[in-house]
């Protein structure tokens, strides 16, 4: 079965600094999703990557999928307090019965200090 | 639109008690999912449904049952709660199935403690 390893597990950065979160898969990634979870709330979709070398950006967040499709990174530029939360990567497995059976990493807890 | 809602938000049970968690979505999504989130383990899929009247097992289905009698509702049941089922439970729904661009919409979660 596929496993996702996120690093670091926890990150504390000064407001305004850049940061990177990594997600490494034990198998080839066919679809890689990034979600953000605010403390005590549900998950919010950020981005989805499918193609090797693909890069997507939304506001100050950029996600990349490496050429070999086994690792993805999430980069935040000039971090703000609103970026604080838990970031999770999820991988799309081969489908059975049409449902999307996502496998998630353990999450990275991001704290932004003023 | 309310999106995905979950009832209740918090619950404390004693070992052996039963309960049902309710998930409702107003987006007319075909697919619905139940996950549990435990510290250091991310989210794990318990059960899922590909449409009204259908259910299937996910990664960690033991000790849980589900039903999808109406398209908008997905119920998760614990027949005899155990301390190992202490967790945060999330419901999600999606318009499409897997292996294509497919965003899942998540509810706010239910925090369950089993004593």
């Amino acid at each position: 079965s596929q496993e996702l390893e996120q690093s670091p597990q926890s990150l504390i950065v000064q407001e305004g600094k850049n940061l990177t979160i990594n997600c490494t898969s034990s198998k080839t990634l066919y679809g890689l999703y990034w979600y953000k979870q605010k403390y005590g709330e549900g998950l919010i979709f950020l981005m989805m990557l499918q193609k090797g070398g693909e890069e997507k950006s939304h506001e100050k967040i950029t996600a990349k999928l490496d050429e070999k499709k086994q690792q993805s990174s999430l980069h935040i530029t000039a971090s703000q307090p609103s970026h604080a939360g838990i970031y999770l990567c999820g991988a799309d497995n081969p489908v059975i019965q049409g449902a999307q059976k996502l496998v998630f990493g353990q999450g990275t807890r991001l704290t932004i200090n003023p | 639109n309310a999106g995905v809602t979950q009832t209740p938000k918090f619950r404390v049970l004693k070992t052996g008690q039963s309960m049902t968690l309710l998930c409702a979505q107003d987006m007319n999504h075909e697919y619905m999912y139940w996950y549990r989130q435990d510290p250091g383990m991310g989210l794990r899929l318990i059960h899922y449904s590909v449409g009204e009247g259908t259910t299937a097992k996910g990664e960690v289905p033991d000790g849980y049952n589900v039903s999808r009698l109406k398209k908008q509702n997905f119920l998760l049941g614990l027949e005899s709660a155990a301390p190992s089922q202490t967790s945060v439970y999330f419901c999600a729904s999606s318009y499409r199935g897997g292996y294509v661009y497919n965003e899942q919409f998540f509810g706010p979660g239910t925090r369950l403690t089993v004593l």
Side-chain angles (χ1 to χ4, degrees):
Chain A
S1 61
Q2 187 168 26
E3 293 183 356
L4 298 180
E5 183 73 26
Q6 287 186 236
S7 62
Q9 293 188 22
S10 178
L11 190 56
I12 302 173
V13 300
Q14 203 76 21
E15 184 177 351
K17 297 293 186 183
N18 303 337
L19 64 105
T20 299
I21 298 169
N22 293 306
C23 175
T24 302
S25 173
S26 60
K27 296 183 179 181
T28 300
L29 291 162
Y30 294 98
L32 190 284
Y33 295 76
W34 282 102
Y35 284 86
K36 178 187 174 184
Q37 181 182 18
K38 288 189 177 181
Y39 300 120
E41 299 181 16
L43 279 68
I44 298 170
F45 171 78
L46 295 176
M47 278 170 278
M48 186 260 188
L49 304 165
Q50 276 188 306
K51 299 176 183 176
E54 187 174 10
E55 180 175 317
K56 288 186 178 178
S57 294
H58 177 67
E59 296 179 346
K60 295 185 178 180
I61 301 177
T62 300
K64 300 178 185 180
L65 183 61
D66 75 343
E67 289 287 345
K68 294 183 179 179
K69 296 175 66 175
Q70 284 204 267
Q71 186 171 46
S72 178
S73 61
L74 187 82
H75 184 77
I76 298 177
T77 304
S79 58
Q80 301 170 349
S82 61
H83 289 130
I86 300 173
Y87 290 81
L88 295 105
C89 60
D92 206 344
N93 274 338
V95 171
I96 300 176
Q97 295 183 10
Q100 181 187 49
K101 298 169 75 174
L102 286 178
V103 172
F104 284 91
Q106 78 273 37
T108 296
R109 184 179 293 268
L110 174 62
T111 302
I112 308 293
N113 283 339
Chain B
N1 287 349
V4 180
T5 58
Q6 292 183 232
T7 309
K9 286 185 168 41
F10 303 94
R11 186 71 186 269
V12 178
L13 289 178
K14 293 182 180 179
T15 297
Q17 287 185 319
S18 63
M19 77 163 294
T20 300
L21 281 67
L22 171 63
C23 175
Q25 52 95 4
D26 61 1
M27 296 172 283
N28 202 34
H29 285 168
E30 288 292 337
Y31 302 89
M32 296 188 75
Y33 314 83
W34 274 108
Y35 295 91
R36 59 178 288 172
Q37 184 179 35
D38 301 296
M41 299 188 74
L43 273 75
R44 292 180 292 169
L45 183 64
I46 304 172
H47 284 280
Y48 63 95
S49 169
V50 301
E52 182 179 316
T54 74
T55 63
K57 295 179 180 179
E59 183 186 357
V60 288
D62 294 343
Y64 305 95
N65 56 75
V66 288
S67 64
R68 184 101 181 265
L69 298 179
K70 293 183 178 180
K71 185 177 183 178
Q72 64 268 34
N73 295 338
F74 196 27
L75 278 63
L76 178 71
L78 286 73
E79 290 186 348
S80 180
S84 60
Q85 294 178 303
T86 294
S87 187
V88 181
Y89 292 87
F90 288 100
C91 175
S93 70
S94 65
Y95 177 68
R96 294 190 183 95
Y99 202 43
V100 291
Y101 181 87
N102 187 27
E103 174 186 351
Q104 288 190 18
F105 294 81
F106 283 80
T110 295
R111 187 172 296 273
L112 175 66
T113 301
V114 183
L115 302 176

